[in-house]
């Protein structure tokens, strides 16, 4: 079975950095791409970053560009999200999810547990 586990969240001051990890098993990047999604209190789950290692394709929303970097270690079946220059608005539960076509929460077939990122001012 496809399994994902997100980790690396925590409490950080504004301007700081954090690296999230999504460790996968039961699949290869030939089968699935990985997205990071975040959900702030009272808001819908939204895309934070996406990577398709097989296609060498990366996507960031405007809110993440210049601050977030997504990468993959194919040998470890792990995807990372490096988050720099963090802002209080980045505070959310971050989830990683596997998808096959579109990087959208509705297209995710396998979710990891969320990891909480809290950015204080």
């Amino acid at each position: 079975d496809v399994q994902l586990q997100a980790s690396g969240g925590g409490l950080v001051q504004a301007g700081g950095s954090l690296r999230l990890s999504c460790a996968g098993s039961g699949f290869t990047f030939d089968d699935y791409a990985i997205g990071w999604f975040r959900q702030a209190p009272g808001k819908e789950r939204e895309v934070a970053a996406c990577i398709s290692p097989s296609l060498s394709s990366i996507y960031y929303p405007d809110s993440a560009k210049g601050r977030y970097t997504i990468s993959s270690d194919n040998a470890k079946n792990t995807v990372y999200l490096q988050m720099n220059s963090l802002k209080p608005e980045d505070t959310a539960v971050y989830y990683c999810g596997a998808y096959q076509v579109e990087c959208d929460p509705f297209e995710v077939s396998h979710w990891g547990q969320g990891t909480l990122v809290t950015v204080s001012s």
Side-chain angles (χ1 to χ4, degrees), residues 5-30:
Q5 184 170 346
S7 63
L11 176 63
V12 64
Q13 294 182 15
S17 298
L18 212 55
R19 189 178 75 158
L20 308 183
S21 298
C22 178
S25 63
F27 74 99
T28 71
F29 289 133
D30 291 330

Side-chain angles (χ1 to χ4, degrees), residues 26-88:
F27 74 99
T28 71
F29 289 133
D30 291 330
D31 301 318
Y32 291 100
I34 300 295
W36 281 100
F37 307 84
R38 67 185 188 182
Q39 189 163 20
K43 299 185 67 176
E44 298 293 327
R45 192 169 298 186
E46 65 180 12
V47 174
C50 312
I51 186 167
S52 176
S54 65
L55 298 176
S56 298
S57 178
I58 290 175
Y59 168 79
Y60 303 101
D62 288 343
S63 61
K65 290 180 179 177
R67 301 189 301 119
Y68 290 12
T69 302
I70 190 169
S71 62
S72 65
D73 185 331
N74 295 358
K76 296 181 178 179
N77 241 40
T78 299
V79 171
Y80 304 96
L81 184 65
Q82 179 68 44
M83 309 165 69
N84 298 328
S85 301
L86 284 164
K87 305 174 181 179

